[in-house]
Amino acid sequence: MHALSNKVALVTGSSRGIGRAIAQRFAAEGATVVVTARSLHGKAHTRAGEQVTIEGTLAETVALIEDAGGRAFPIVADLERAEDREGLIDRVIAKFGRIDILVNNAGFSDYAMIENLSTETFDRTIDHYLRSPVVLTQKAIPHMRAQGAGWIVNIGSSTGMPPVRPYRDYNRTAGEVLYASVKAALHRFTEGVAA
C-alpha cells in the first residue's frame, strides 16, 4: 500500500520544476494529483518586459505521471485571475469530492531593483506568492476540517531569511527584495496557519 492511497493532492504551478517533481512524487505514493498551470500546452509569458516561452507544460506533467502508472488530472488556472483563484478548490471538490493535500507552489519571478520595480511586477509577485496561497488555504480548510485531516504546504525560499552580513554582491544587485519580502510574509503566514 502506498502512503498516499485514496488521497487527492492539488499542486499549483506543476507544469515544470519543483511543482512537477512534487506532483510526480505524490502520484508515485498513490495520490490522485490535480496539477495546475496557466495553460495545458504552454504559452509565452512576460519576463522583464519581454515575451518568453518557458520549457515544460501541464500536458507533459500529466503524461509523465500516467506513463509511470499514476493518476493526474489537469486544471488550467491562472492564479493572477481572481475567478481562477477563487474557484480552483471548488473545481477539485466537484471532480473528486475531497482535497487532502494543497501545495502552494506556483510562482512568478521578475526581479527588479526597487527604484525600477513596476506596479505590474509588484502586483503579480503579491498575487502569486501571498494572495493565492491565502485564498487557496481559506478555501481548502473547511473541506479538510470536515474530513478530519489535511495538509497544506507552502513553498518558501531561503531569500525570505535576512541576508548575511556583510552583504554579498548578489544582495546588492539581484533585485530580489520584493520577492524575498513576500516569501518572508509567506513563511510567517504558514507558521500562523499551522498554529
Side-chain angles (χ1 to χ4, degrees), residues 106-126:
F108 160 82
S109 295
D110 196 358
Y111 290 2
M113 300 301 285
I114 290 299
E115 64 270 24
N116 300 321
L117 182 69
S118 70
T119 301
E120 178 189 17
T121 295
F122 177 86
D123 290 341
R124 293 180 78 187
T125 302
I126 296 292

Side-chain angles (χ1 to χ4, degrees), residues 34-51:
V34 179
V35 293
T36 68
R38 282 178 262 192
S39 66
L40 187 61
H41 298 290
K43 65 179 183 178
H45 303 283
T46 303
R47 293 290 183 273
E50 302 206 9
Q51 293 290 315

Side-chain angles (χ1 to χ4, degrees), residues 152-169:
I152 299 172
V153 178
N154 296 316
I155 303 301
S157 171
S158 61
T159 62
M161 305 300 291
V164 176
R165 293 182 187 213
Y167 297 129
R168 300 171 296 152
D169 285 342

Side-chain angles (χ1 to χ4, degrees), residues 24 73 88 131 145 156 195:
Q24 288 177 288
F73 181 79
L88 183 55
R131 189 182 323 274
R145 278 202 175 121

Side-chain angles (χ1 to χ4, degrees), residues 41-141:
H41 298 290
K43 65 179 183 178
H45 303 283
T46 303
R47 293 290 183 273
E50 302 206 9
Q51 293 290 315
V52 296
T53 301
I54 302 169
E55 295 292 321
T57 70
L58 208 51
E60 290 170 1
T61 300
V62 170
L64 287 167
I65 289 170
E66 290 179 345
D67 288 349
R71 291 184 60 208
F73 181 79
I75 294 181
V76 173
D78 182 347
L79 298 180
E80 291 178 31
R81 295 169 37 103
E83 56 271 22
D84 285 8
R85 278 192 307 266
E86 296 286 334
L88 183 55
I89 299 294
D90 290 339
R91 291 173 71 185
V92 173
I93 298 299
K95 177 71 178 171
F96 297 103
R98 64 184 300 118
I99 181 168
D100 300 284
I101 303 165
L102 166 62
V103 179
N104 288 305
N105 169 71
F108 160 82
S109 295
D110 196 358
Y111 290 2
M113 300 301 285
I114 290 299
E115 64 270 24
N116 300 321
L117 182 69
S118 70
T119 301
E120 178 189 17
T121 295
F122 177 86
D123 290 341
R124 293 180 78 187
T125 302
I126 296 292
D127 280 348
H128 277 282
Y129 295 118
L130 194 57
R131 189 182 323 274
S132 291
V134 169
V135 168
L136 294 176
T137 297
Q138 286 176 315
K139 300 289 185 179
I141 284 174

